[in-house]
Amino acid sequence: RMHHPSTLPLRLATATLPRAMASPRLAQNHAEAMPDIEAQQPPSTTIASTRFADEPLSGDSSNDVQSDSSYTVNSDLSDQKPELASVGDKKIVSKRSSGTGRNLCRLSCCSFAFVLSTLLVVFLQPREPTWEVQKLIVPPAALNNCIQAIMSPSGENVKIDIDALVDFVNPNYVGAEADAGSFVVTWQGYELASVTTERGLAAARSHSQVTAHSTSIITPELGNLLKETLPGKNYLMQVNVKGKLDATVKSLFGLRVKVGLDCIVDASVLLIMS
């Protein structure tokens, strides 16, 4: 037995050589040929050609071991490559999934902002309300004073108190609580009456009834002008109503708004007196 410089002993197998190879010359030629053969072999066979002391060597067993060990090394490497590729794929997939999630989040935020702004524009856009006088409440004393002021004005001022029920239409999508309002009714530069409205609720997209109180003071000058002008116009007159009131929109966190009114009303004096 011979010992290898490493700690593990190696066993060299002995074999009977033929007579032709037993001569020193043939042995030398054989020894010189072996390094050439070993030099031509791939690196993997060098690793696989080492055997431990307990493993016997046979004629062609070294070639079998070399091929098996080289196959094992290659198979191990081939098995490791998919694992590396799979880890990389997972990283790529995770990056792509996180990027896609951020894009979806941004798209959702933009969509929500667009929908919210559209709703605000549609629902909170101010729309002009309309109103119409449904009923006039004229006491008998006020009716007599009105006839006297127009038909036969005297040298004194005439006071006329009239109440009215007004149908108010709110076309907006939000309602409001209206405070008491004050308005002025004029005709050809003269003040015909001062009007006050009671507090009330204007519901969203609905009708509401408003009670108004009108007080007119007909001066002798205004009475004479009415007497001269109204018969030629079939006792029809156009008056201007102007005023304002404050309102509270509770659905918008108690927002306080000012409501202005400036309109022209067609009035029939005969219908008022009747």
Side-chain angles (χ1 to χ4, degrees), residues 11 13-15 51 55-65:
R11 177 181 298 175
T14 59
R51 285 181 176 270
E55 297 180 358
L57 293 175
S58 59
D60 295 333
S61 61
S62 60
N63 295 332
D64 297 336
V65 174

Side-chain angles (χ1 to χ4, degrees), residues 94-108:
S94 62
K95 290 182 180 179
R96 291 180 180 176
S97 60
S98 61
T100 304
R102 292 178 181 175
N103 293 334
L104 290 177
C105 182
R106 293 175 182 175
L107 181 61
S108 301

Side-chain angles (χ1 to χ4, degrees), residues 12-220:
L12 298 179
T14 59
T16 303
L17 298 176
R19 294 180 179 179
M21 298 181 61
S23 61
R25 183 177 298 177
L26 294 177
Q28 184 178 0
N29 295 335
H30 180 71
E32 292 177 356
M34 289 298 293
D36 296 336
I37 296 174
E38 293 179 356
Q40 295 176 1
Q41 291 179 352
S44 59
T45 58
T46 305
I47 299 173
S49 62
T50 304
R51 285 181 176 270
F52 296 102
D54 295 335
E55 297 180 358
L57 293 175
S58 59
D60 295 333
S61 61
S62 60
N63 295 332
D64 297 336
V65 174
Q66 294 172 4
S67 60
D68 293 340
S69 60
S70 63
Y71 174 78
T72 304
V73 172
N74 294 334
S75 62
D76 293 339
L77 294 176
S78 61
D79 292 339
Q80 292 176 0
K81 289 182 180 179
E83 294 179 358
L84 296 176
S86 62
V87 172
D89 293 341
K90 290 181 181 179
K91 292 182 179 179
I92 294 173
V93 170
S94 62
K95 290 182 180 179
R96 291 180 180 176
S97 60
S98 61
T100 304
R102 292 178 181 175
N103 293 334
L104 290 177
C105 182
R106 293 175 182 175
L107 181 61
S108 301
C109 294
C110 294
S111 301
F112 177 76
F114 176 75
V115 172
L116 180 62
S117 60
T118 303
L119 292 176
L120 291 177
V121 170
V122 172
F123 289 100
L124 298 183
Q125 182 179 7
R127 294 171 175 81
E128 293 184 359
T130 59
W131 61 275
E132 182 180 359
V133 178
Q134 288 185 334
K135 185 179 181 180
L136 290 175
I137 302 173
V138 184
L143 179 59
N144 294 331
N145 292 335
C146 181
I147 294 174
Q148 180 183 356
I150 295 175
M151 299 299 179
S152 57
S154 62
E156 297 180 357
N157 295 336
V158 179
K159 183 180 179 181
I160 304 173
D161 293 326
I162 301 176
D163 294 335
L165 298 179
V166 180
D167 180 31
F168 183 82
V169 181
N170 179 19
N172 296 283
Y173 285 91
V174 292
E177 293 182 359
D179 296 340
S182 59
F183 307 92
V184 177
V185 181
T186 58
W187 175 73
Q188 293 187 2
Y190 291 90
E191 182 177 337
L192 286 179
S194 60
V195 182
T196 58
T197 57
E198 297 179 358
R199 295 173 58 91
L201 174 63
R205 300 184 65 81
S206 62
H207 295 253
S208 58
Q209 191 174 17
V210 180
T211 302
H213 305 282
S214 172
T215 300
S216 298
I217 297 178
I218 307 298
T219 62

